[in-house]
Amino acid sequence: MPQQTRPIRSRPVFARFYSKVAGPALEKAGVTEHRKRLLAGLSGEVIEIGAGNGLNFPHYPSTVTRLLAAEPEPHLREWAVRSARSVAVPVEVVNGRAEQLPAEDASFDAAVVCLTLCSVADPHAALAELHRVLRPGGQLRFFEHVRADSPAMRRVQRVLDATVWPPLMGGCHVGRDTQTAITAAGFRLTDVERFSFPDTRLPSPAATHILGTAQREPG
């Protein structure tokens, strides 16, 4: 199991903003339906990275026998612990960064990333860790905002990612090519849906999303 070598940074202002403003705004925009689709049909032992304040917990099906939820930000983790007490699925909330997961090799049937890979310091290391902890044939479920389709919006994303967006939004990057990163980590894509969310008339640098599944190949 990898040892953590970097201190985990606390972001209390962003944690409060996400819990009180961004999270509820996403729910109002309809993100709950995407959360439900992301988690539908999961079973066995599951790991979720960047669990935040536990907004996914109520949507895990009863066929999940164990959920390990890793969240590095201490304030969000505290709220996730409270959320875990009110759901039927057994949830263990732990302090852990995506790039150094506190889990043994090949110990989970499925892994979940939900609006998380945009903000981890090293998404390639995070995906390598998920590949490590999944059993052969295990499934990766992902729902992430990603690099835009249009060249013009991609230019906007590059400027934002190099300047104001990450410091203001808890390390989030709007222009990451997450789909390519998933395949580069050794996963085989089995289903990918690409869409705009929230579905508004105004263009947004964080509107392009992917939702889908990938598999760690057996053997």
Side-chain angles (χ1 to χ4, degrees), residues 118 145-146 148 152-176 203-207:
C118 60
H145 69 80
V146 295
M153 184 55 76
R154 287 187 182 188
R155 287 193 291 271
V156 172
Q157 289 178 325
R158 285 195 293 270
V159 171
L160 290 175
D161 283 348
T163 55
V164 298
W165 197 273
L168 291 177
M169 302 303 290
C172 173
H173 295 73
V174 290
R176 286 181 171 171
S204 166

Side-chain angles (χ1 to χ4, degrees), residues 10-164:
S10 175
R11 290 188 170 102
V13 174
F14 175 77
R16 287 193 294 272
F17 169 77
Y18 184 82
S19 298
K20 304 299 183 182
V21 180
L26 287 172
E27 300 300 314
K28 186 176 181 180
V31 76
T32 298
E33 182 60 31
H34 298 311
R35 294 184 191 277
K36 290 178 178 178
R37 292 197 297 138
L38 174 70
L39 305 174
L42 284 173
S43 62
E45 297 182 276
V46 180
I47 183 169
E48 179 181 347
I49 65 168
N53 56 342
L55 293 177
N56 280 333
F57 295 170
H59 307 301
Y60 278 93
S62 60
T63 45
V64 172
T65 57
R66 176 197 176 207
L67 173 62
L68 182 70
E71 172 52 53
E73 208 293 317
H75 299 83
L76 290 173
R77 188 170 62 250
E78 180 181 347
W79 292 323
V81 169
R82 296 175 189 171
S83 176
R85 296 175 184 147
S86 63
V87 299
V89 170
V91 182
E92 179 187 359
V93 180
V94 297
N95 177 9
R97 65 172 73 251
E99 302 93 336
Q100 296 171 312
L101 293 175
E104 300 296 333
D105 295 356
S107 53
F108 292 94
D109 300 297
V112 172
V113 288
C114 180
L115 306 177
T116 296
L117 291 175
C118 60
S119 60
V120 298
D122 187 342
H124 301 287
L127 286 164
E129 276 291 270
L130 291 173
H131 192 276
R132 178 183 68 81
V133 303
L134 275 176
R135 296 179 178 122
Q139 191 177 69
L140 174 66
R141 300 283 187 98
F142 53 89
F143 172 45
E144 298 285 340
H145 69 80
V146 295
R147 181 181 297 175
D149 296 318
S150 77
M153 184 55 76
R154 287 187 182 188
R155 287 193 291 271
V156 172
Q157 289 178 325
R158 285 195 293 270
V159 171
L160 290 175
D161 283 348
T163 55
V164 298

